Amino acid sequence: MALDVDALRKDFPILGRTVDSGAGLVYLDSGATTQKPLQVLDAERDFYLRHNAAVHRGAHQLAGEATEAYESARRTIADFVGAEEDEVVFTYNTLEEGEQLAEGVRAAQAYFGT
């Protein structure tokens, strides 16, 4: 099945904008800021309105709901990419994930002696 780029772009309202020249916006700076589809914006809004609390940090109901939402996302991603849940790691940004990857390679080299 071919990727329907027009349908995909509709999930990203910002891509409906035009730039000063009148051309459609094409965003290529995802290393700095990633544009989010409506589905993500809707899920974030729902979280902040109904469940906002620190994940894995409290014993109260909101913390439990926030933690369940977080871990549910981990399960969904693991299923989608064919991984185990404990193989899915959330990071803050590309710098942090690069540092974590480098540390993992260093640890593996030390463990396996390579």
Side-chain angles (χ1 to χ4, degrees), residues 12-91:
F12 294 82
I14 198 166
L15 298 180
R17 291 189 51 186
T18 57
V19 294
D20 292 340
S21 68
L25 176 66
V26 176
Y27 189 82
L28 301 175
D29 196 14
S30 293
T33 298
T34 302
Q35 300 302 328
K36 295 169 184 65
L38 285 171
Q39 296 87 340
V40 170
L41 297 172
D42 291 345
E44 287 178 342
R45 185 173 196 274
D46 179 69
F47 176 83
Y48 285 118
L49 290 174
R50 301 179 59 222
H51 312 286
N52 189 27
V55 173
H56 297 294
R57 296 279 192 250
H60 54 83
Q61 181 172 337
L62 288 179
E65 291 172 4
T67 298
E68 176 52 35
Y70 186 86
E71 293 303 331
S72 177
R74 185 187 310 277
R75 288 189 295 276
T76 299
I77 293 166
D79 289 345
F80 182 73
V81 300
E84 297 296 322
E85 288 179 39
D86 64 354
E87 296 174 321
V88 175
V89 178
F90 296 124
T91 63

